[in-house]
Amino acid sequence: MNNFKKIGLTVLAGSMAAVSANAIELAVTGSTNVSHISEESAKSSTVGGSSLGVDTAIMFNGSGELENGWTVSTYAALNDGGAAALSSSQLTIGMGSLGTLRFAQHFGTAANGIDDVTPKVYEEVWDNSVGSAKLQGFGRQTAEGAVTYTTPSFNLGDASATLAVDYDPQAGVASNDHDAVSVASSSYGSGQAAVLKLDLGQGIKGGFGMEELTGQPGSSDETNMTAYVLYTVGSISAGVQAYNLDAGDKGAADYTGETYSVAFNVNDNLSIGYQKLKETKEAVGVTTSAKQDMQALSVAYSMGGMTLAVQQIDVDKANFSAGADQVDGEETEINLSFAF
């Protein structure tokens, strides 16, 4: 028996050596942003005022190649502007013709990557706005402690396609951080998502995504879907994206919405963009339907590693408020960033 154990260990050691990684190269980049934000809201004392802040991010990129031709890369971003220092972290294994496997500690999944893919000059129309958008939640519940498999690109004549599948064994909560105790969500069980991306050529791209969340006892299963079409010609890019959130059968409201945008590169340094988002909270029970509209105008000027961006956001019926409780607001952000 001991001899069999030795043979097994020898074979295992040989197989591990065959796929051992060469030296991993590590690159460190970063950026610093100085921003001024001013907000005004007609109906809320908790939103408004003016603030000045500095946000610094450091990104670590490591990559190496295994002896069998596979690649391994790791990415981690640290940001002092959020509640958590770690803003993104993934480990990616490139398996050649077998596709790509990604372990997402914090964001980086396929579904979360298409929450809003319409062209933008600065940030999304819902970023830092007076109201929050349901579209920005697509893929969010399956973005931490998840694994993603992406197929190689399939050629379809002049077009190409890729398919990615996400799986999160515990949706709606943070990853277990390797040495921490796993915490269950009070709303969700497991979650899975699928994303299909198409490149049709002639500057046309499209995609479709679906996220399904299993509900805990007393909560509903949820289905979240989105689809988009993008078109680029010369210095102009345009896009439209729609989504639908089916909240299940436990009395929660469903949501639908669409966003569209256009971005224009005036020259190599100057860009101008416009975004519009319209969302509807569907009627449920005795509660009537409600709407929320956002629009943003952005201008960005780049010179070397410096970018100056200005974004003006206007929101009507923020967070689907109506009547005497209706909240309309606007925000102006001026951001000066340096990449290093």
Side-chain angles (χ1 to χ4, degrees), residues 40-44 47 129-133 279 290-294 314-322 325-330:
E40 295 181 5
S41 176
K43 294 289 185 179
S44 176
V47 177
S129 67
V130 174
S132 61
E279 297 185 309
K291 296 183 181 294
Q292 174 179 238
D293 294 338
M294 300 181 182
D314 293 312
V315 181
D316 295 330
K317 302 178 181 178
N319 297 321
F320 307 97
S321 57
D325 297 323
Q326 180 172 324
V327 178
D328 299 331
E330 64 179 36

Side-chain angles (χ1 to χ4, degrees), residues 206-217:
F208 172 80
M210 174 182 289
E211 180 187 41
E212 294 185 335
L213 305 171
T214 302
Q216 295 281 26

